[in-house]
Amino acid sequence: MSGPVRRPRRRLSQPREQVLAAAMATIAAEGLDRLTMAGLGREVGMSSGHILYYFGTKDELLLQTLQWSEEQLGAERRAALSRRTPARERLDALVDLYLPEGHRDPRWTLWLEVWNRSQNADDETRERQLELELAWHRDLVALLVEGVSRGEFRPVDAERLTTRIRALLDGFGTHLVVGLPGTDRETVRRHIREFLDESLMP
């Protein structure tokens, strides 16, 4: 995946939002295979060359679309964390936000595609991807620390347990989004609840 194209942010802002929203809508409605620069251009009234001017490559477009999608989800995550409810309930809410809705969930489909394309990515691109991961990690760590401090959770190494929780969510989430036979969201949620209860409850 190539690095980002440097363009003036003031000129990029509005068209960028339109293109990213259109890209996500196309992925949701038709899948990644139907996502093309020409098709996006028709959706937002631009030429494919104009879109390439802003994003440079399709890889960069996909990564920025993923970042934009995560920004939207981040707002939902912060709202869930700010509720005045027990830490365990907020942890369940974060799990629900993290997991795909099911087979071909557009956000997860995009995530898998970006990671697959990034095998030969440069360091800057990897840092941008890592930041998406760390946003979830930091919030989960903070929630576990809060739950322990209030006596809702038993004492745990929050950093270590968060790494394990995310690995569990990523594994089950991948099974769900690819439609692995015998895997459904409620079964996955039950497995995760059992793991969290065994790991955290006094």
Side-chain angles (χ1 to χ4, degrees):
M1 184 180 294
S2 61
V5 176
R6 302 298 183 185
R7 301 296 180 191
R9 289 295 176 188
R10 198 173 302 167
R11 294 184 61 195
L12 176 64
S13 179
Q14 186 175 358
R16 175 181 177 273
E17 293 291 324
Q18 293 172 354
V19 173
L20 298 180
M24 203 67 213
T26 299
I27 294 168
E30 303 178 36
L32 267 166
D33 290 344
R34 302 296 298 274
L35 181 65
T36 65
M37 296 295 197
L40 278 178
R42 287 191 294 273
E43 286 291 322
V44 297
M46 297 180 191
S47 68
S48 57
H50 198 181
I51 293 175
L52 281 170
Y53 172 81
Y54 285 125
F55 297 97
T57 66
K58 187 173 182 179
D59 287 350
E60 177 63 19
L61 168 66
L62 292 175
L63 178 53
Q64 288 198 33
T65 303
L66 180 59
Q67 290 175 309
W68 179 80
S69 171
E70 285 295 307
E71 287 170 10
Q72 319 306 308
L73 195 61
E76 294 183 53
R77 188 172 70 246
R78 289 187 293 274
L81 286 169
S82 67
R83 293 174 191 150
R84 296 188 176 183
T85 56
R88 185 68 179 82
E89 289 183 23
R90 283 177 283 153
L91 183 55
D92 286 339
L94 256 64
V95 167
D96 282 340
L97 285 173
Y98 196 105
L99 290 173
E101 291 298 322
H103 187 205
R104 296 179 179 173
D105 177 280
R107 179 174 60 90
W108 268 76
T109 297
L110 177 58
W111 191 288
L112 291 177
E113 181 70 11
V114 167
W115 279 100
N116 184 55
R117 286 170 172 257
S118 69
Q119 294 180 67
N120 298 311
D122 58 34
D123 290 342
E124 182 183 354
T125 298
R126 291 189 183 281
E127 286 296 323
R128 291 161 69 198
Q129 289 175 303
L130 177 61
E131 186 54 37
L132 297 178
E133 296 279 346
L134 290 179
W136 286 94
H137 187 92
R138 287 189 291 261
D139 284 346
L140 279 167
V141 168
L143 184 55
L144 296 186
V145 169
E146 179 190 338
V148 170
S149 71
R150 294 186 175 187
E152 295 181 47
F153 300 150
R154 68 167 179 257
V156 295
D157 181 332
E159 284 280 350
R160 180 173 179 271
L161 183 57
T162 293
T163 298
R164 296 176 68 197
I165 292 170
R166 287 177 48 235
L168 188 69
L169 293 172
D170 285 344
F172 275 127
T174 301
H175 290 180
L176 281 172
V177 76
V178 301
L180 193 70
T183 305
D184 62 82
R185 201 170 194 272
E186 188 48 48
T187 299
V188 164
R189 291 174 74 240
R190 186 165 60 250
H191 279 301
I192 294 168
R193 281 197 302 269
E194 289 173 1
F195 174 79
L196 293 176
D197 286 342
E198 292 166 3
S199 301
L200 289 168
M201 302 315 290

